[in-house]
Amino acid sequence: MQLMVEARNLRKTYKRPDGSTIEAVKGVDLEIRQGEIFSLLGPNGAGKTTTISMISGLVEPTGGDATIGGYSITKEPMAAKRLMGFVPQEIALYPELSARQNLAFFGRMYGLGGKELSRRVDELLEFVDLSDRQNDRIDTFSGGMKRRINLAAGLLNSPPLIYMDEPTVGIDPQSRRRILDTVKLLREEQGMTVLYTTHLMEEAQELSDRVGIMDHGEIIAIGTQTELTQQVGEEDRLEFIIGAQEFEESLAEGIQQETAGVTRILYNPPEQVSDDSSESTPSRLTVFAKRGRTALPQLIQNLDAAGVEIQSVAVREPDLEAVFLALTGRALRD
Amino acid sequence: MRSILTIILNDLKIFFSQRANLPGLLIIPVLLTLVIGWSLGQIGGGGPTRLRVDLIDLDQTSMSAKLIEDLRSANDAIVLCPLDNDAEDFCRLREEPLQLERAIERARTGRTSALIVIPAGFAAALEEFEIFSVDYYSLSDPMQPGPVLQSLNAVLQRASTASMTTGVAAALLTNLTAAFELPPLETETLDGFLGALYLRSQEMLTEQPAPVRFRVADAESASEDGSMNGFNQSAPGMGSLYVMFTVLGGMAVLLRERSQWTLQRLMALPLSRAQILGAKIGVYFSLGMIQYFIVFAVGAALGMDFGSSPAALLAVMAAFVLCITALTFALAPWIKSEGQARGLVLLLSLSLAPLGGAWWPLEIVPEFMQTLGHLSPVAWAMDGFHDLIWYNGGFIDVLPEIGVLISASVVLFAIGIRRFKYE
Ligand SMILES: Nc1ncnc2c1ncn2[C@@H]1O[C@H](COP(=O)(O)OP(=O)(O)OP(=O)(O)O)[C@@H](O)[C@H]1O
Ligand SMILES: [Mg+2]
């Protein structure tokens, strides 16, 4: 199968204002095949945007290179950029202009004009279902509507390849649904290749043919969803929410030895949701076990005996979340 | 090229769609131009403080020298060319000789306020008490004599009065010697006596306060309508000030375009970095020119002078706008927030403008402030405008100013382009 995007050893080092440096991306290799939906899944700050910025020519890589449809993004940027559409994580639109003016401007930049341009703009407004608001200024739009125009602006040149950087961030479930459906539609009806980034496991799971899991500037696992979940084996995942209390490593080791089928226990202490919030996530205990349902009764007994207050428990089949957890020891949403 | 134009037009559309931009672009500069123009007109600060006058002395005698000396002291605003030219070539002679033909051309095109030609035989005619004529060429209306002609008249009157005194004295002496049958005076003695008498009477006439002293600063004598001149200073001055406000404001806009990711979206388009940068430079250059046009249109409506070379005027405007655009791009990479940008715009505009003579002509400030003022690009622009508007200069007269502004632009652009933050 033909490769649409091929990145080799991409690296990016940023300078911070205080003079120190940060390695945002540390040697990423990536292959995206023609016609597939590929997701980059990773928590905030993993380096998803930086990676996308390098393979779209926004940011010069500190090292490595990428080709788009065979054209090097650093050496033949014009030819490479003609093949791609780009939907940035931010609402990259002029707030003072109307939806139609925004689309018409970016369309003109792709060399469209006259009837052709206005037909394409009509089509896209129709496609994102905002024809009735086309003459309103972007700054009067809701978050979800902005997202949809932001997406339409990436489709103006009917590109064979589109990058979407967290296109569902900060919007309501209804708008999110609409955007996810749009992505599937683009691939099914127009055969587009899609690179989709997200920090939500559910989105990656629903959309992607293949997934790259990213953390701390590196792709730590890559493959189809089945391939990835096989990496963590056939283990189920038991998620305990426990009372706020000290939980020591030695306790985890003891329970692991005493309970048949348990291979690993991870403890995540409570964390503040955000800097300006007094809310915090509950203490969480994640237990990997061969046959989760069978191990559960004994596990509960042992935890109880150790004086751990169990508030709730859930059994999860192997999924991408489990892969991330297994590889990093952290939950994806932290 | 088409993409560059599309970006420029789009950015201008955005600029004009922001109502908050209009007071700064339109209302305040227009009001200030009016207020400053009228005020300067009333106090006479709107015109040249020095008058460029060509003087050709074909007589070359002590008497013509005396006349020139008198002319100088009669009006200290008059700069006689080439005699009193200064190091900065105020006379705009460019080290070429000033023959009659060139001087007449200069007066005819208004580059000088007047040309005065002292004819050969001037001294002889005065001594003989004969009729003589001093040639005076000027564009100014003879029915409303300007300051130069008034000064010249006063000085000539003094010269002929002195000459008359000697004439009368000579006649008296001749008559007396005849009446008393005295031996006729030797010619030498007589000439010596009459010469001394001429000089003495000149001196007495000079010591006596002249009936009128002319200064250009007298509003009425400066032009037909004093208030008009005010706009010759206020329109270029306020225009330049607001070009700075408007164009330097681009620092904040560039920052916003990066944070709202529209700049990045442009970079994802099949455009080269040079095209994007060129377009952004084009945007602020266009805005600066539009700003000048707005203020000059107001000046034009109120009868401001534009000199005789529209092309040169346009060139000075363009050079200044280019320089400020370059300054904007040189500073932009160091700006961290929009608030910081706004502060810097205020600081720069409000210091460079008065320093460079946007509010009042630099010619009225002390010498060292004039020198210091030329650190500001505004001073060079205003020098150019004054050359064109006050002295009717041509392209070649403003080349030095344009040269300085363009050189500064090149240096500033070199910094700005190298440091431009695409990421
Ligand atoms: N321009 C920049 N200058 C300095 N550091 C940067 C810059 N851009 C990104 N970084 C840093 O690089 C790292 C990766 O950032 P990046 O935006 O690529 O992450 P991300 O995976 O897209 O995260 P998110 O899900 O929050 O969008 C972060 O630590 C970030 O602080
Ligand atoms: Mg991101």
Side-chain angles (χ1 to χ4, degrees):
Chain A
M1 192 172 249
Q2 214 178 331
L3 289 183
M4 194 72 204
V5 179
E6 188 177 5
R8 288 283 162 252
N9 196 22
L10 275 181
R11 284 181 299 110
K12 182 68 189 180
T13 308
Y14 282 117
K15 263 207 193 73
R16 287 221 186 84
D18 63 10
S20 68
T21 57
I22 170 166
E23 263 194 282
V25 173
K26 314 167 180 165
V28 158
D29 291 310
L30 202 60
E31 289 178 0
I32 301 175
R33 297 166 194 159
Q34 198 157 32
E36 77 174 347
I37 299 181
F38 183 95
S39 291
L40 264 186
L41 175 65
N44 295 135
K48 304 181 297 291
T49 299
T50 308
T51 305
I52 273 207
S53 298
M54 285 192 284
I55 60 178
S56 54
L58 296 197
V59 165
E60 276 176 32
T62 311
D65 196 3
T67 58
I68 314 295
Y71 299 108
S72 156
I73 190 69
T74 54
K75 298 183 194 76
E76 305 149 284
M78 295 293 199
K81 285 177 183 177
R82 260 185 265 277
L83 297 177
M84 69 190 207
F86 182 45
V87 181
Q89 184 172 356
E90 314 289 322
I91 307 290
L93 300 169
Y94 298 103
E96 304 86 357
L97 299 183
S98 71
R100 191 179 187 89
Q101 286 173 325
N102 266 287
L103 294 180
F105 168 67
F106 290 113
R108 254 179 239 120
M109 298 309 297
Y110 279 114
L112 300 176
K115 286 227 178 66
E116 195 191 2
L117 174 67
S118 89
R119 185 155 20 86
R120 185 72 188 136
V121 171
D122 285 339
E123 253 170 46
L124 285 170
L125 284 166
E126 193 73 29
F127 186 64
V128 297
D129 203 11
L130 280 170
S131 301
D132 52 332
R133 297 289 303 270
Q134 57 175 293
N135 291 321
D136 294 348
R137 280 165 59 125
I138 291 293
D139 54 10
T140 67
F141 278 26
S142 75
M145 286 153 68
K146 286 180 192 168
R147 285 269 160 215
R148 274 138 69 189
I149 296 294
N150 198 36
L151 190 141
L155 295 170
L156 278 155
N157 58 335
S158 320
L161 165 71
I162 186 149
Y163 298 146
M164 298 191 190
D165 194 4
E166 306 209 31
T168 59
V169 158
I171 56 175
D172 57 288
Q174 224 178 322
S175 301
R176 167 193 305 256
R177 182 77 261 141
R178 197 194 273 276
I179 286 185
L180 292 178
D181 290 342
T182 307
V183 175
K184 288 193 259 183
L185 210 64
L186 285 172
R187 199 266 297 270
E188 274 152 37
E189 292 189 351
Q190 304 177 31
M192 268 191 196
T193 309
V194 181
L195 168 58
Y196 190 99
T197 80
T198 179
H199 62 272
L200 298 174
M201 182 207 56
E202 297 84 0
E203 290 191 355
Q205 215 152 0
E206 176 179 343
L207 291 175
S208 3
D209 301 309
R210 291 194 314 129
V211 180
I213 299 184
M214 213 172 171
D215 190 39
H216 292 308
E218 286 173 304
I219 292 194
I220 52 176
I222 197 164
T224 62
Q225 296 190 41
T226 334
E227 284 166 0
L228 290 174
T229 43
Q230 270 166 5
Q231 283 191 13
V232 282
E234 297 297 294
E235 291 174 349
D236 290 324
R237 190 159 44 101
L238 307 171
E239 266 182 19
F240 292 89
I241 304 294
I242 58 172
Q245 60 196 222
E246 286 295 302
F247 190 90
E248 284 168 20
E249 287 290 317
S250 58
L251 191 56
E253 274 167 34
I255 290 175
Q256 187 175 333
Q257 275 158 21
E258 283 166 34
T259 322
V262 171
T263 54
R264 192 171 170 201
I265 296 181
L266 288 172
Y267 169 67
N268 296 98
E271 259 179 73
Q272 263 188 331
V273 171
S274 63
D275 290 344
D276 51 352
S277 158
S278 58
E279 255 183 278
S280 58
T281 60
S283 299
R284 202 167 19 184
L285 212 55
T286 312
V287 181
F288 293 90
K290 285 276 157 48
R291 277 168 299 280
R293 273 167 242 277
T294 329
L296 192 57
Q298 206 194 344
L299 196 56
I300 293 178
Q301 218 169 35
N302 290 344
L303 282 170
D304 211 29
V308 176
E309 180 205 340
I310 300 170
Q311 292 177 346
S312 74
V313 61
V315 183
R316 300 198 193 283
E317 314 263 297
D319 59 11
L320 294 175
E321 179 81 41
V323 179
F324 189 82
L325 206 61
L327 291 172
T328 66
R330 286 177 291 119
L332 198 46
R333 3 190 139 241
D334 289 353
Chain B
M1 196 59 211
R2 215 190 97 190
S3 342
I4 295 184
L5 275 178
T6 308
I7 297 179
I8 294 178
L9 288 178
N10 190 60
D11 281 7
L12 291 180
K13 183 155 87 186
I14 291 168
F15 184 89
F16 287 108
S17 74
Q18 287 172 306
R19 224 155 272 152
N21 283 332
L22 298 187
L25 184 79
L26 212 61
I27 302 165
I28 306 174
V30 166
L31 284 180
L32 273 180
T33 306
L34 294 178
V35 172
I36 303 288
W38 274 314
S39 313
L40 285 175
Q42 290 314 307
I43 60 166
T49 48
R50 291 194 296 174
L51 297 167
R52 190 187 294 153
V53 176
D54 282 350
L55 185 131
I56 295 182
D57 179 8
L58 299 174
D59 194 47
Q60 299 285 356
T61 59
S62 60
M63 277 197 186
S64 65
K66 177 81 178 103
L67 180 81
I68 292 167
E69 187 50 47
D70 283 354
L71 202 51
R72 269 186 202 123
S73 52
N75 189 335
D76 51 21
I78 291 181
V79 177
L80 295 174
C81 300
L83 294 175
D84 300 340
N85 200 7
D86 58 13
E88 277 132 50
D89 192 25
F90 173 77
C91 289
R92 293 283 179 269
L93 289 169
R94 288 185 291 277
E95 312 211 336
E96 285 162 38
L98 182 69
Q99 333 86 339
L100 187 58
E101 241 171 66
R102 183 175 173 210
I104 290 174
E105 176 63 19
R106 276 156 63 92
R108 204 180 56 75
T109 53
R111 297 201 185 177
T112 53
S113 300
L115 161 65
I116 298 168
V117 182
I118 304 175
F122 166 76
L126 266 185
E127 273 170 25
E128 301 301 319
F129 191 40
E130 280 169 3
I131 290 172
F132 64 90
S133 73
V134 167
D135 291 331
Y136 178 82
Y137 303 78
S138 174
L139 273 184
S140 65
D141 183 355
M143 299 309 288
Q144 286 172 314
V148 183
L149 186 55
Q150 295 190 32
S151 306
L152 181 65
N153 277 338
V155 171
L156 283 174
Q157 199 141 26
R158 249 174 357 229
S160 54
T161 306
S163 136
M164 187 147 67
T165 313
T166 11
V168 171
L172 199 63
L173 273 180
T174 319
N175 286 341
L176 282 177
T177 41
F180 293 98
E181 293 179 357
L182 296 173
L185 284 166
E186 283 170 32
T187 330
E188 241 168 74
T189 329
L190 187 63
D191 281 358
F193 170 68
L194 292 176
L197 191 62
Y198 178 82
L199 287 176
R200 178 70 193 124
S201 56
Q202 270 268 21
E203 263 164 41
M204 287 172 69
L205 286 162
T206 313
E207 276 158 17
Q208 206 184 7
V212 196
R213 257 178 83 83
F214 304 100
R215 291 216 34 136
V216 211
D218 298 344
E220 270 72 25
S221 66
S223 83
E224 310 95 273
D225 177 359
S227 65
M228 290 303 173
N229 262 327
F231 299 111
N232 290 348
Q233 162 70 19
S234 80
M238 292 303 105
S240 305
L241 171 63
Y242 274 81
V243 162
M244 287 199 287
F245 273 129
T246 302
V247 175
L248 288 171
M251 288 188 286
V253 183
L254 287 171
L255 200 69
R256 197 180 321 139
E257 284 190 86
R258 241 191 321 273
S259 66
Q260 78 185 14
W261 268 67
T262 41
L263 184 69
Q264 286 89 328
R265 202 195 268 283
L266 286 182
M267 305 228 343
L269 298 170
L271 288 174
S272 69
R273 294 191 163 198
Q275 279 174 306
I276 295 174
L277 188 63
K280 292 296 163 193
I281 290 172
V283 170
Y284 295 103
F285 181 78
S286 312
L287 273 178
M289 292 306 277
I290 290 171
Q291 179 72 75
Y292 259 144
F293 284 131
I294 289 172
V295 173
F296 278 159
V298 173
L302 292 160
M304 164 194 170
D305 296 317
F306 285 97
S308 52
S309 175
L313 193 70
L314 215 56
V316 172
M317 289 158 69
F320 179 71
V321 174
L322 194 72
C323 183
I324 298 303
T325 308
L327 183 61
T328 306
F329 279 83
L331 293 173
W334 278 273
I335 300 297
K336 299 276 181 290
S337 72
E338 287 195 35
Q340 196 187 19
R342 266 190 292 277
L344 193 59
V345 172
L346 277 179
L347 178 76
L348 282 174
S349 308
L350 293 182
S351 60
L352 292 180
L355 196 65
W359 293 87
W360 49 81
L362 266 197
E363 282 153 49
I364 66 171
V365 304
E367 192 97 16
F368 80 94
M369 281 305 289
Q370 293 190 21
T371 313
L372 195 67
H374 280 79
L375 286 176
S376 162
V378 177
W380 297 94
M382 292 307 288
D383 281 356
F385 288 130
H386 288 166
D387 263 352
L388 297 171
I389 294 172
W390 289 354
Y391 299 119
N392 256 318
F395 214 105
I396 197 160
D397 298 310
V398 292
L399 276 182
E401 284 85 2
I402 292 177
V404 168
L405 289 171
I406 299 226
S407 313
S409 308
V410 169
V411 172
L412 292 168
F413 270 134
I415 300 171
I417 290 173
R418 195 135 35 93
R419 297 268 172 147
F420 190 77
K421 276 194 192 155
Y422 297 94
E423 300 178 2

